[in-house]
Protein backbone atom coordinates (compact mmCIF):
# COMPACT_ATOMS: atom_id res chain seq x y z
CA UNK A 1 0.00 0.00 0.00
CA UNK A 2 1.44 3.42 -0.96
CA UNK A 3 1.07 6.63 0.99
CA UNK A 4 0.56 10.14 -0.33
CA UNK A 5 4.28 10.94 -0.06
CA UNK A 6 5.13 8.03 -2.39
CA UNK A 7 2.63 9.23 -4.99
CA UNK A 8 3.99 12.77 -4.82
CA UNK A 9 7.57 11.54 -5.22
CA UNK A 10 6.55 9.67 -8.40
CA UNK A 11 5.25 12.81 -10.16
CA UNK A 12 7.26 13.42 -13.39
CA UNK A 13 9.44 16.52 -13.50
CA UNK A 14 11.47 18.19 -16.29
CA UNK A 15 15.15 17.21 -16.51
CA UNK A 16 17.77 19.79 -17.48
CA UNK A 17 21.39 18.69 -17.98
CA UNK A 18 24.28 21.03 -18.71
CA UNK A 19 27.73 20.09 -20.04
CA UNK A 20 30.90 21.91 -21.05
CA UNK A 21 30.96 24.64 -18.39
CA UNK A 22 32.48 25.16 -14.94
CA UNK A 23 30.52 24.73 -11.73
CA UNK A 24 30.23 28.50 -11.30
CA UNK A 25 29.00 28.92 -14.88
CA UNK A 26 26.49 26.11 -14.50
CA UNK A 27 25.19 27.60 -11.27
CA UNK A 28 24.67 30.96 -12.95
CA UNK A 29 22.94 29.36 -15.94
CA UNK A 30 20.54 27.49 -13.70
CA UNK A 31 19.86 30.71 -11.80
CA UNK A 32 18.91 32.41 -15.07
CA UNK A 33 16.84 29.55 -16.49
CA UNK A 34 13.12 29.84 -15.84
CA UNK A 35 12.05 26.60 -17.57
CA UNK A 36 11.71 24.64 -14.35
CA UNK A 37 8.58 26.65 -13.68
CA UNK A 38 6.91 25.03 -16.70
CA UNK A 39 4.75 21.98 -16.37
CA UNK A 40 5.40 18.71 -18.17
CA UNK A 41 2.57 19.11 -20.68
CA UNK A 42 3.41 21.70 -23.37
CA UNK A 43 1.96 22.41 -26.78
CA UNK A 44 4.26 22.56 -29.80
CA UNK A 45 4.12 26.35 -29.76
CA UNK A 46 4.94 26.45 -26.05
CA UNK A 47 7.91 24.12 -26.64
CA UNK A 48 9.32 26.39 -29.39
CA UNK A 49 8.95 29.45 -27.18
CA UNK A 50 10.57 27.62 -24.25
CA UNK A 51 13.59 26.63 -26.36
CA UNK A 52 14.01 30.18 -27.63
CA UNK A 53 13.77 31.53 -24.10
CA UNK A 54 16.27 28.96 -22.83
CA UNK A 55 18.78 29.95 -25.51
CA UNK A 56 18.46 33.64 -24.59
CA UNK A 57 18.71 32.95 -20.86
CA UNK A 58 21.85 30.83 -21.26
CA UNK A 59 23.38 33.58 -23.38
CA UNK A 60 22.53 36.20 -20.75
CA UNK A 61 23.93 34.03 -17.94
CA UNK A 62 27.28 33.57 -19.72
CA UNK A 63 27.48 37.20 -20.80
CA UNK A 64 27.08 38.22 -17.16
CA UNK A 65 30.30 36.26 -16.50
CA UNK A 66 32.18 37.82 -19.41
CA UNK A 67 31.54 35.24 -22.17
CA UNK A 68 29.98 37.10 -25.09
CA UNK A 69 30.55 34.49 -27.84
CA UNK A 70 29.31 31.14 -26.53
CA UNK A 71 28.35 28.21 -28.71
CA UNK A 72 25.13 26.68 -27.43
CA UNK A 73 23.89 23.26 -28.57
CA UNK A 74 20.33 22.90 -27.29
CA UNK A 75 18.63 19.50 -27.53
CA UNK A 76 14.96 19.38 -26.58
CA UNK A 77 13.23 16.06 -26.16
CA UNK A 78 9.58 15.34 -25.47
CA UNK A 79 9.14 12.08 -23.59
CA UNK A 80 5.94 10.26 -22.73
CA UNK A 81 5.69 11.74 -19.27
CA UNK A 82 7.63 15.02 -19.54
CA UNK A 83 10.12 17.02 -21.58
CA UNK A 84 13.89 17.19 -21.05
CA UNK A 85 16.58 19.65 -22.10
CA UNK A 86 20.24 18.88 -22.73
CA UNK A 87 22.64 21.80 -23.10
CA UNK A 88 26.16 21.37 -24.41
CA UNK A 89 27.95 24.69 -24.21
CA UNK A 90 31.31 26.07 -25.23
CA UNK A 91 31.59 29.38 -23.33
CA UNK A 92 34.24 30.76 -25.65
CA UNK A 93 37.06 33.15 -24.69
CA UNK A 94 36.17 35.72 -22.01
CA UNK A 95 36.04 39.49 -22.37
CA UNK A 96 38.66 41.22 -20.23
CA UNK A 97 38.69 44.72 -18.78
CA UNK A 98 40.91 47.09 -20.77
CA UNK A 99 40.40 50.40 -18.98
CA UNK A 100 39.05 50.98 -15.48
CA UNK A 101 41.04 52.97 -12.94
CA UNK A 102 41.48 56.02 -15.17
CA UNK A 103 37.83 55.99 -16.25
CA UNK A 104 36.22 55.57 -12.80
CA UNK A 105 36.01 59.02 -11.21
CA UNK A 106 34.32 60.62 -8.22
CA UNK A 107 33.86 64.37 -8.13
CA UNK A 108 31.98 66.84 -5.95
CA UNK A 109 32.12 67.77 -2.27
CA UNK A 110 32.57 64.16 -1.16
CA UNK A 111 35.65 63.41 -3.21
CA UNK A 112 37.89 63.55 -0.13
CA UNK A 113 35.58 61.43 2.03
CA UNK A 114 37.45 58.38 3.38
CA UNK A 115 34.82 55.81 2.24
CA UNK A 116 34.98 57.07 -1.36
CA UNK A 117 38.78 57.13 -1.34
CA UNK A 118 38.90 53.60 0.06
CA UNK A 119 36.46 52.43 -2.62
CA UNK A 120 38.61 53.86 -5.42
CA UNK A 121 41.75 52.37 -3.85
CA UNK A 122 40.14 48.91 -3.60
CA UNK A 123 37.97 48.49 -6.68
CA UNK A 124 36.23 45.09 -6.87
CA UNK A 125 37.87 44.47 -10.27
CA UNK A 126 41.15 45.35 -11.98
CA UNK A 127 42.45 45.94 -15.48
CA UNK A 128 42.97 42.55 -17.11
CA UNK A 129 40.28 40.80 -15.06
CA UNK A 130 37.51 38.85 -16.77
CA UNK A 131 34.49 41.11 -17.04
CA UNK A 132 31.70 40.33 -14.59
CA UNK A 133 28.49 42.30 -14.71
CA UNK A 134 27.73 41.69 -11.02
CA UNK A 135 31.01 43.37 -10.02
CA UNK A 136 30.21 46.34 -12.27
CA UNK A 137 26.77 46.69 -10.68
CA UNK A 138 28.26 46.21 -7.20
CA UNK A 139 30.67 49.11 -7.83
CA UNK A 140 27.80 51.39 -8.84
CA UNK A 141 25.74 50.28 -5.86
CA UNK A 142 28.68 50.94 -3.50
CA UNK A 143 28.99 54.52 -4.76
CA UNK A 144 25.29 55.13 -4.28
CA UNK A 145 25.24 53.46 -0.87
CA UNK A 146 28.13 55.55 0.44
CA UNK A 147 26.49 58.71 -0.87
CA UNK A 148 23.21 57.90 0.88
CA UNK A 149 24.98 56.95 4.11
CA UNK A 150 27.04 60.14 4.19
CA UNK A 151 24.26 62.51 3.20
CA UNK A 152 25.01 63.21 -0.46
CA UNK A 153 21.42 62.91 -1.59
CA UNK A 154 21.94 64.90 -4.79
CA UNK A 155 24.61 62.48 -6.02
CA UNK A 156 24.24 61.22 -9.58
CA UNK A 157 26.10 59.44 -12.34
CA UNK A 158 27.15 61.95 -14.96
CA UNK A 159 28.23 59.03 -17.10
CA UNK A 160 27.90 55.28 -16.65
CA UNK A 161 28.69 52.86 -19.43
CA UNK A 162 30.05 49.39 -20.05
CA UNK A 163 31.53 49.31 -23.55
CA UNK A 164 32.32 45.84 -24.88
CA UNK A 165 34.30 45.18 -28.07
CA UNK A 166 33.21 41.67 -29.00
CA UNK A 167 35.89 41.27 -31.66
CA UNK A 168 38.79 42.43 -29.49
CA UNK A 169 37.28 40.75 -26.39
CA UNK A 170 37.83 43.89 -24.32
CA UNK A 171 35.64 46.03 -22.11
CA UNK A 172 35.94 49.67 -21.08
CA UNK A 173 34.15 50.74 -17.91
CA UNK A 174 33.30 54.42 -17.58
CA UNK A 175 31.80 55.71 -14.36
CA UNK A 176 31.72 59.39 -13.48
CA UNK A 177 29.96 59.90 -10.15
CA UNK A 178 29.29 63.40 -8.84
CA UNK A 179 28.47 63.47 -5.11
CA UNK A 180 27.04 66.99 -5.03
CA UNK A 181 26.89 68.82 -1.69
CA UNK A 182 26.44 67.13 1.67
CA UNK A 183 23.23 67.55 3.66
CA UNK A 184 23.13 68.52 7.33
CA UNK A 185 21.04 67.62 10.35
CA UNK A 186 18.43 70.20 11.27
CA UNK A 187 16.37 70.65 14.41
CA UNK A 188 15.80 67.49 16.44
CA UNK A 189 12.34 66.88 17.88
CA UNK A 190 11.92 64.19 20.55
CA UNK A 191 8.26 63.30 20.87
CA UNK A 192 8.22 61.86 24.39
CA UNK A 193 7.27 62.86 27.91
CA UNK A 194 8.75 59.94 29.90
CA UNK A 195 12.08 61.69 30.55
CA UNK A 196 13.15 65.27 31.07
CA UNK A 197 14.07 66.83 27.71
CA UNK A 198 17.62 67.52 28.87
CA UNK A 199 18.11 63.83 29.77
CA UNK A 200 16.55 62.52 26.57
CA UNK A 201 18.76 64.94 24.64
CA UNK A 202 21.89 63.32 26.06
CA UNK A 203 21.19 60.24 23.96
CA UNK A 204 21.60 62.26 20.74
CA UNK A 205 25.13 61.72 19.32
CA UNK A 206 24.94 64.77 17.00
CA UNK A 207 23.62 68.31 17.00
CA UNK A 208 21.84 70.57 14.49
CA UNK A 209 24.28 71.70 11.83
CA UNK A 210 26.38 68.52 11.89
CA UNK A 211 26.96 66.77 8.58
CA UNK A 212 24.42 64.03 7.90
CA UNK A 213 25.51 60.46 8.58
CA UNK A 214 22.98 57.63 8.73
CA UNK A 215 25.19 55.85 11.27
CA UNK A 216 24.45 58.67 13.71
CA UNK A 217 20.74 58.00 13.31
CA UNK A 218 21.29 54.28 13.94
CA UNK A 219 23.37 55.11 17.04
CA UNK A 220 20.59 57.41 18.27
CA UNK A 221 17.95 54.72 17.85
CA UNK A 222 20.09 51.97 19.35
CA UNK A 223 21.13 54.11 22.31
CA UNK A 224 17.51 54.93 23.14
CA UNK A 225 16.46 51.28 22.83
CA UNK A 226 19.40 50.10 24.95
CA UNK A 227 18.54 52.65 27.62
CA UNK A 228 15.71 50.42 28.81
CA UNK A 229 13.21 53.29 28.93
CA UNK A 230 11.49 52.65 25.58
CA UNK A 231 9.90 49.71 23.78
CA UNK A 232 10.07 51.19 20.28
CA UNK A 233 11.98 54.13 18.84
CA UNK A 234 11.28 55.46 15.36
CA UNK A 235 13.69 58.00 13.85
CA UNK A 236 12.40 60.03 10.89
CA UNK A 237 14.93 62.00 8.84
CA UNK A 238 13.54 62.24 5.32
CA UNK A 239 15.74 64.06 2.76
CA UNK A 240 12.53 64.97 0.89
CA UNK A 241 11.59 67.26 3.78
CA UNK A 242 14.93 69.12 3.67
CA UNK A 243 15.16 72.84 3.04
CA UNK A 244 18.49 74.18 1.78
CA UNK A 245 19.94 70.69 2.38
CA UNK A 246 18.98 70.77 6.08
CA UNK A 247 17.03 67.70 7.24
CA UNK A 248 14.77 67.91 10.32
CA UNK A 249 14.89 64.89 12.62
CA UNK A 250 11.79 63.65 14.42
CA UNK A 251 12.01 60.82 16.97
CA UNK A 252 8.85 59.00 18.06
CA UNK A 253 8.77 56.79 21.17
CA UNK A 254 6.71 54.10 22.81
CA UNK A 255 7.69 53.84 26.51
CA UNK A 256 8.26 50.49 28.16
CA UNK A 257 5.93 49.50 31.01
CA UNK A 258 7.12 51.20 34.19
CA UNK A 259 6.73 48.21 36.51
CA UNK A 260 8.18 44.77 35.85
CA UNK A 261 7.63 41.73 38.04
CA UNK A 262 10.07 38.84 37.84
CA UNK A 263 9.74 35.25 39.03
CA UNK A 264 11.94 32.32 38.24
CA UNK A 265 13.19 28.98 39.41
CA UNK A 266 16.53 27.33 38.86
CA UNK A 267 18.88 24.76 40.25
CA UNK A 268 22.55 23.97 40.62
CA UNK A 269 24.55 21.42 42.53
CA UNK A 270 26.31 24.20 44.45
CA UNK A 271 23.18 25.83 45.87
CA UNK A 272 20.38 23.33 45.25
CA UNK A 273 16.93 24.41 43.99
CA UNK A 274 16.58 28.17 43.71
CA UNK A 275 13.63 30.55 43.71
CA UNK A 276 14.01 34.14 42.58
CA UNK A 277 11.51 36.98 42.81
CA UNK A 278 12.07 40.52 41.63
CA UNK A 279 10.46 43.90 41.18
CA UNK A 280 11.77 46.66 38.90
CA UNK A 281 10.69 50.26 38.39
CA UNK A 282 12.16 51.36 35.06
CA UNK A 283 11.25 55.02 35.48
CA UNK A 284 11.14 56.10 39.11
CA UNK A 285 11.04 59.73 37.95
CA UNK A 286 11.56 61.87 34.83
CA UNK A 287 15.25 62.21 35.73
CA UNK A 288 15.65 58.60 34.56
CA UNK A 289 16.26 57.05 37.97
CA UNK A 290 15.26 53.43 38.36
CA UNK A 291 15.51 50.74 40.98
CA UNK A 292 15.06 47.03 41.41
CA UNK A 293 14.78 44.68 44.32
CA UNK A 294 15.28 40.93 44.25
CA UNK A 295 14.85 38.00 46.60
CA UNK A 296 16.71 34.72 46.09
CA UNK A 297 16.07 31.64 48.19
CA UNK A 298 18.01 28.37 48.19
CA UNK A 299 19.14 25.82 50.81
CA UNK A 300 22.77 27.04 50.62
CA UNK A 301 22.59 30.73 49.75
CA UNK A 302 19.79 33.28 50.08
CA UNK A 303 19.78 37.03 49.62
CA UNK A 304 17.65 40.14 49.55
CA UNK A 305 18.90 43.21 47.70
CA UNK A 306 18.04 46.66 46.41
CA UNK A 307 19.82 48.57 43.63
CA UNK A 308 19.10 52.20 42.75
CA UNK A 309 20.49 53.54 39.43
CA UNK A 310 21.12 57.17 38.49
CA UNK A 311 22.13 58.07 34.91
CA UNK A 312 25.08 60.44 34.48
CA UNK A 313 26.19 62.93 31.81
CA UNK A 314 26.41 60.19 29.18
CA UNK A 315 23.41 58.01 30.13
CA UNK A 316 24.26 55.50 27.39
CA UNK A 317 27.56 54.59 29.05
CA UNK A 318 27.70 56.04 32.54
CA UNK A 319 25.72 55.59 35.75
CA UNK A 320 25.82 55.62 39.54
CA UNK A 321 24.55 52.53 41.40
CA UNK A 322 23.52 52.67 45.06
CA UNK A 323 23.00 49.24 46.57
CA UNK A 324 22.12 47.41 49.76
CA UNK A 325 22.03 43.65 50.23
CA UNK A 326 21.76 40.99 52.90
CA UNK A 327 23.17 37.55 52.06
CA UNK A 328 23.31 34.41 54.16
CA UNK A 329 25.31 31.35 53.15
CA UNK A 330 25.70 27.95 54.77
CA UNK A 331 28.16 25.53 53.13
CA UNK A 332 30.07 22.50 54.35
CA UNK A 333 33.08 24.74 55.05
CA UNK A 334 31.63 28.01 56.35
CA UNK A 335 28.59 29.95 57.50
CA UNK A 336 28.12 33.69 57.09
CA UNK A 337 25.62 36.50 57.36
CA UNK A 338 26.70 39.48 55.28
CA UNK A 339 25.33 43.03 55.14
CA UNK A 340 26.53 45.12 52.19
CA UNK A 341 26.06 48.81 51.39
CA UNK A 342 27.78 50.45 48.47
CA UNK A 343 28.01 53.09 45.78
CA UNK A 344 29.54 52.43 42.37
CA UNK A 345 30.40 54.55 39.36
CA UNK A 346 30.11 52.45 36.18
CA UNK A 347 31.53 53.67 32.88
CA UNK A 348 31.47 51.86 29.52
CA UNK A 349 34.06 53.00 26.99
CA UNK A 350 33.65 52.94 23.18
CA UNK A 351 36.20 50.11 23.10
CA UNK A 352 33.74 47.92 25.02
CA UNK A 353 35.61 47.89 28.32
CA UNK A 354 33.53 48.61 31.43
CA UNK A 355 35.21 50.23 34.40
CA UNK A 356 33.68 50.14 37.88
CA UNK A 357 34.86 52.32 40.73
CA UNK A 358 33.08 51.54 43.98
CA UNK A 359 33.12 52.03 47.71
CA UNK A 360 31.53 49.25 49.73
CA UNK A 361 30.91 48.74 53.43
CA UNK A 362 30.43 45.14 54.56
CA UNK A 363 29.63 43.71 57.98
CA UNK A 364 29.97 39.94 58.13
CA UNK A 365 29.33 37.43 60.90
CA UNK A 366 31.05 34.20 59.89
CA UNK A 367 32.15 30.82 61.18
CA UNK A 368 35.06 29.02 59.50
CA UNK A 369 37.05 26.12 60.89
CA UNK A 370 35.18 26.24 64.19
CA UNK A 371 36.03 29.92 64.82
CA UNK A 372 33.36 32.65 64.85
CA UNK A 373 34.17 36.26 64.00
CA UNK A 374 32.57 39.58 63.07
CA UNK A 375 34.36 41.95 60.71
CA UNK A 376 33.67 45.40 59.31
CA UNK A 377 35.27 46.29 55.99
CA UNK A 378 35.22 49.61 54.14
CA UNK A 379 36.57 48.65 50.72
CA UNK A 380 37.38 50.76 47.68
CA UNK A 381 37.05 48.61 44.55
CA UNK A 382 38.36 49.05 41.01
CA UNK A 383 37.15 46.65 38.34
CA UNK A 384 37.51 46.22 34.56
CA UNK A 385 35.57 43.83 32.36
CA UNK A 386 34.85 43.16 28.72
CA UNK A 387 32.85 40.56 26.81
CA UNK A 388 32.82 39.87 23.09
CA UNK A 389 30.82 37.11 21.40
CA UNK A 390 28.98 36.26 18.22
CA UNK A 391 25.78 35.46 20.14
CA UNK A 392 24.52 36.82 23.48
CA UNK A 393 23.32 33.43 24.80
CA UNK A 394 24.77 30.60 22.68
CA UNK A 395 28.10 31.84 21.31
CA UNK A 396 30.28 29.71 19.02
CA UNK A 397 33.13 32.19 19.40
CA UNK A 398 33.80 34.76 22.11
CA UNK A 399 35.65 35.71 25.25
CA UNK A 400 35.18 37.38 28.60
CA UNK A 401 37.76 39.02 30.84
CA UNK A 402 37.21 40.69 34.20
CA UNK A 403 39.68 41.78 36.83
CA UNK A 404 39.34 43.72 40.07
CA UNK A 405 41.36 45.10 42.96
CA UNK A 406 39.90 45.75 46.41
CA UNK A 407 41.25 46.38 49.88
CA UNK A 408 40.65 47.77 53.36
CA UNK A 409 42.62 49.45 56.14
CA UNK A 410 42.28 49.11 59.89
CA UNK A 411 42.90 52.84 60.12
CA UNK A 412 39.66 53.54 58.22
CA UNK A 413 36.69 51.80 59.88
CA UNK A 414 37.80 48.26 58.93
CA UNK A 415 38.61 45.33 61.24
CA UNK A 416 41.55 44.09 59.14
CA UNK A 417 43.92 45.51 56.52
CA UNK A 418 44.32 43.67 53.24
CA UNK A 419 44.73 44.09 49.48
CA UNK A 420 43.32 41.59 47.00
CA UNK A 421 43.45 41.06 43.24
CA UNK A 422 41.18 38.76 41.25
CA UNK A 423 41.17 37.89 37.57
CA UNK A 424 38.89 35.69 35.48
CA UNK A 425 38.99 34.82 31.80
CA UNK A 426 36.96 32.55 29.54
CA UNK A 427 37.42 31.82 25.85
CA UNK A 428 35.18 29.97 23.40
CA UNK A 429 36.55 28.95 19.98
CA UNK A 430 35.06 26.73 17.25
CA UNK A 431 36.89 23.48 16.52
CA UNK A 432 35.53 21.11 13.91
CA UNK A 433 31.77 20.71 14.35
CA UNK A 434 31.97 21.70 18.03
CA UNK A 435 33.70 24.27 20.19
CA UNK A 436 36.48 24.49 22.78
CA UNK A 437 35.82 26.27 26.08
CA UNK A 438 38.76 27.32 28.24
CA UNK A 439 38.53 29.05 31.62
CA UNK A 440 41.07 30.48 34.10
CA UNK A 441 40.37 31.88 37.59
CA UNK A 442 43.12 33.41 39.70
CA UNK A 443 43.53 35.64 42.72
CA UNK A 444 45.99 36.73 45.39
CA UNK A 445 45.70 38.45 48.77
CA UNK A 446 48.18 40.46 50.83
CA UNK A 447 47.19 40.33 54.50
CA UNK A 448 48.98 39.98 57.83
CA UNK A 449 46.17 38.47 59.93
CA UNK A 450 44.56 35.91 57.61
CA UNK A 451 42.36 34.54 60.41
CA UNK A 452 40.57 37.91 60.56
CA UNK A 453 39.50 37.77 56.92
CA UNK A 454 35.80 36.93 56.49
CA UNK A 455 34.73 34.04 54.30
CA UNK A 456 33.58 36.33 51.51
CA UNK A 457 37.17 37.56 51.03
CA UNK A 458 38.92 34.17 51.25
CA UNK A 459 39.50 31.89 48.27
CA UNK A 460 37.98 28.42 47.92
CA UNK A 461 37.82 25.98 44.99
CA UNK A 462 35.48 23.19 43.94
CA UNK A 463 31.97 23.20 42.54
CA UNK A 464 30.01 23.65 39.34
CA UNK A 465 32.06 26.61 38.04
CA UNK A 466 35.39 25.69 39.60
CA UNK A 467 36.90 22.19 39.86
CA UNK A 468 34.12 19.74 39.06
CA UNK A 469 34.22 16.42 40.85
CA UNK A 470 34.47 18.22 44.19
CA UNK A 471 31.74 19.80 46.30
CA UNK A 472 31.16 23.55 46.40
CA UNK A 473 34.03 25.33 48.25
CA UNK A 474 35.43 22.00 49.45
CA UNK A 475 39.00 22.68 48.29
CA UNK A 476 41.54 24.90 50.00
CA UNK A 477 43.96 24.99 52.93
CA UNK A 478 42.77 23.37 56.16
CA UNK A 479 43.44 23.93 59.86
CA UNK A 480 44.99 21.43 62.25
CA UNK A 481 41.60 19.75 62.67
CA UNK A 482 41.35 19.13 58.94
CA UNK A 483 38.62 21.72 58.36
CA UNK A 484 38.78 23.76 55.14
CA UNK A 485 39.44 27.41 56.01
CA UNK A 486 40.19 28.89 52.59
CA UNK A 487 43.38 30.42 51.24
CA UNK A 488 45.13 33.66 50.39
CA UNK A 489 45.53 32.67 46.74
CA UNK A 490 43.62 30.89 43.99
CA UNK A 491 44.57 29.27 40.69
CA UNK A 492 42.04 27.10 38.83
CA UNK A 493 41.20 26.39 35.23
CA UNK A 494 39.22 24.21 32.86
CA UNK A 495 39.44 22.87 29.31
CA UNK A 496 36.29 21.52 27.67
CA UNK A 497 35.21 20.30 24.25
CA UNK A 498 31.55 20.39 23.29
CA UNK A 499 30.25 18.33 20.36
CA UNK A 500 26.77 18.80 18.85
CA UNK A 501 24.44 15.81 18.89
CA UNK A 502 20.86 16.45 17.73
CA UNK A 503 18.87 19.67 17.58
CA UNK A 504 19.53 21.61 20.79
CA UNK A 505 21.60 18.93 22.52
CA UNK A 506 25.35 18.44 22.65
CA UNK A 507 27.86 16.34 24.56
CA UNK A 508 30.94 17.59 26.40
CA UNK A 509 34.14 16.20 27.86
CA UNK A 510 36.30 18.23 30.21
CA UNK A 511 39.21 18.38 32.62
CA UNK A 512 39.31 20.87 35.51
CA UNK A 513 42.21 21.61 37.81
CA UNK A 514 43.37 23.96 40.52
CA UNK A 515 43.06 24.84 44.18
CA UNK A 516 43.14 27.60 46.76
CA UNK A 517 46.42 27.78 48.68
CA UNK A 518 48.35 29.64 51.37
CA UNK A 519 51.81 29.79 49.79
CA UNK A 520 53.03 28.93 46.31
CA UNK A 521 55.20 26.09 47.57
CA UNK A 522 52.05 24.62 49.18
CA UNK A 523 49.99 24.67 45.99
CA UNK A 524 48.37 21.23 45.65
CA UNK A 525 46.41 21.14 42.42
CA UNK A 526 43.37 18.86 42.39
CA UNK A 527 41.92 17.58 39.13
CA UNK A 528 38.52 16.45 37.97
CA UNK A 529 37.61 14.81 34.66
CA UNK A 530 34.20 14.08 33.29
CA UNK A 531 31.55 14.29 30.63
CA UNK A 532 28.17 15.92 30.32
CA UNK A 533 25.13 16.89 28.29
CA UNK A 534 24.25 20.44 27.20
CA UNK A 535 20.72 21.59 26.36
CA UNK A 536 19.99 24.90 24.68
CA UNK A 537 16.70 25.34 26.44
CA UNK A 538 14.26 28.23 25.89
CA UNK A 539 15.42 29.73 29.19
CA UNK A 540 19.14 29.40 28.41
CA UNK A 541 21.88 26.77 28.54
CA UNK A 542 21.43 23.89 31.00
CA UNK A 543 24.47 21.72 31.81
CA UNK A 544 24.46 18.27 33.41
CA UNK A 545 27.90 16.84 34.19
CA UNK A 546 29.30 13.78 35.88
CA UNK A 547 32.83 14.38 37.13
CA UNK A 548 35.43 12.16 38.77
CA UNK A 549 38.22 13.55 40.98
CA UNK A 550 41.56 12.00 40.03
CA UNK A 551 42.62 11.54 43.67
CA UNK A 552 39.72 9.13 44.33
CA UNK A 553 39.11 5.67 42.89
CA UNK A 554 35.37 5.38 43.44
CA UNK A 555 33.93 8.88 43.74
CA UNK A 556 31.71 10.46 41.09
CA UNK A 557 29.80 13.72 41.47
CA UNK A 558 26.79 15.08 39.59
CA UNK A 559 26.92 18.77 38.64
CA UNK A 560 23.90 20.73 37.41
CA UNK A 561 24.22 24.37 36.36
CA UNK A 562 22.33 26.96 34.32
CA UNK A 563 23.20 30.32 32.78
CA UNK A 564 24.87 32.00 29.81
CA UNK A 565 28.24 30.71 28.64
CA UNK A 566 29.93 34.13 28.83
Amino acid sequence: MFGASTLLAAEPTPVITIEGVSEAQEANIRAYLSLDRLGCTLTETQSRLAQRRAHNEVHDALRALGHYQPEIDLQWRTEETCWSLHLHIQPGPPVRIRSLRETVQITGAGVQEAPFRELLANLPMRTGDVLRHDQYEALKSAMTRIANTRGYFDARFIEQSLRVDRQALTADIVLHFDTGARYQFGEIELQQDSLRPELAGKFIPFKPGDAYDSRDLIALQQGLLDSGYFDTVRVNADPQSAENRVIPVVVEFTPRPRWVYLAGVGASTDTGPRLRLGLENRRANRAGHRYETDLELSPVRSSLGLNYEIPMDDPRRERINLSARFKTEDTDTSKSDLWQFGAAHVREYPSGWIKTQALSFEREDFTIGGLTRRTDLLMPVLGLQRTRSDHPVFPSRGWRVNTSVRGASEEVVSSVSFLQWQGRAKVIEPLGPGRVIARLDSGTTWVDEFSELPGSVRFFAGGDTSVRGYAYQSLGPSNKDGRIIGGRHLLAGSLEYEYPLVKDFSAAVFVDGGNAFERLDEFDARYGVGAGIRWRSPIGPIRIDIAHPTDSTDHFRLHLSMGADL
Side-chain angles (χ1 to χ4, degrees), residues 237-360:
D238 186 359
Q240 299 297 324
S241 62
E243 294 184 7
N244 299 320
R245 299 192 182 92
V246 176
I247 305 175
V249 179
V250 179
V251 186
E252 301 172 349
F253 304 81
T254 301
R256 299 181 73 185
R258 172 172 291 183
W259 292 97
V260 180
Y261 303 92
L262 304 173
V265 295
S268 72
T269 314
D270 289 347
T271 61
R274 183 172 62 249
L275 171 67
R276 187 179 181 188
L277 302 174
L279 172 67
E280 180 183 359
N281 186 332
R282 291 169 170 158
R283 297 187 309 281
N285 52 43
R286 297 186 73 234
H289 296 195
R290 51 188 159 204
Y291 60 85
E292 61 179 347
T293 182
D294 64 273
L295 171 66
E296 184 175 301
L297 300 173
S298 78
V300 174
R301 184 174 59 226
S302 299
S303 66
L304 175 65
L306 172 68
N307 185 73
Y308 193 92
E309 181 179 309
I310 304 171
M312 301 299 288
D313 288 339
D314 185 354
R316 297 170 300 172
R317 297 190 176 96
E318 189 177 12
R319 63 186 182 273
I320 294 289
N321 287 337
L322 305 176
S323 61
R325 179 169 295 276
F326 171 73
K327 182 170 68 174
T328 181
E329 190 169 48
D330 187 355
T331 72
D332 293 338
T333 56
S334 66
K335 295 181 180 180
S336 75
D337 290 330
L338 174 65
W339 292 91
Q340 296 174 309
F341 304 92
H345 174 254
V346 182
R347 170 76 180 180
E348 181 178 351
Y349 293 91
S351 62
W353 285 96
I354 300 175
K355 181 176 73 172
T356 302
Q357 296 171 288
L359 184 65
S360 174

Side-chain angles (χ1 to χ4, degrees), residues 37-228:
R37 304 188 189 100
L38 298 176
C40 281
T41 305
L42 300 178
T43 66
E44 184 176 346
T45 300
Q46 288 174 327
S47 296
R48 287 198 303 269
L49 291 175
Q51 294 174 59
R52 187 182 309 163
R53 184 168 64 184
H55 188 278
N56 292 337
E57 289 172 344
V58 171
H59 194 278
D60 291 342
L62 291 171
R63 186 173 60 180
L65 298 177
H67 296 273
Y68 275 67
Q69 298 177 354
E71 295 182 9
I72 304 171
D73 180 17
L74 187 152
Q75 298 178 11
W76 181 280
R77 295 187 179 90
T78 301
E79 311 290 347
E80 289 185 7
T81 56
C82 197
W83 57 267
S84 66
L85 174 64
H86 178 76
L87 294 167
H88 185 79
I89 303 167
Q90 295 182 14
V95 171
R96 296 187 179 273
I97 299 172
R98 180 171 60 184
S99 62
L100 174 67
R101 189 164 297 278
E102 301 80 7
T103 54
V104 175
Q105 301 176 5
I106 296 176
T107 58
V111 67
Q112 295 302 319
E113 291 273 1
F116 283 123
R117 295 174 64 182
E118 291 173 5
L119 178 63
L120 292 179
N122 301 281
L123 294 174
M125 45 197 169
R126 299 178 181 179
T127 301
D129 285 355
V130 173
L131 173 65
R132 287 188 49 167
H133 289 200
D134 60 336
Q135 293 178 340
Y136 169 71
E137 295 297 333
L139 178 57
K140 294 197 300 179
S141 296
M143 291 178 174
T144 303
R145 183 175 61 255
I146 294 171
N148 289 334
T149 298
R150 306 288 289 182
Y152 294 95
F153 295 111
D154 296 330
R156 63 189 181 95
F157 285 98
I158 295 176
E159 184 176 0
Q160 52 177 322
S161 63
L162 175 58
R163 303 167 183 169
V164 176
D165 187 332
R166 296 171 182 258
Q167 299 303 317
L169 296 175
T170 59
D172 299 319
I173 294 175
V174 179
L175 291 174
H176 183 183
F177 188 71
D178 181 28
T179 68
R182 190 174 185 181
Y183 282 53
Q184 298 177 337
F185 288 120
E187 292 300 319
I188 305 163
E189 181 184 354
L190 303 178
Q191 297 180 347
Q192 63 86 36
D193 57 6
S194 300
L195 304 176
R196 291 176 182 172
E198 57 270 24
L199 173 60
K202 291 179 180 179
F203 288 94
I204 304 174
F206 55 88
K207 59 183 182 298
D210 285 353
Y212 178 97
D213 192 321
S214 64
R215 293 172 299 181
D216 288 335
L217 298 175
I218 295 172
L220 168 61
Q221 183 181 44
Q222 195 61 51
L224 289 166
L225 288 172
D226 291 345
S227 72

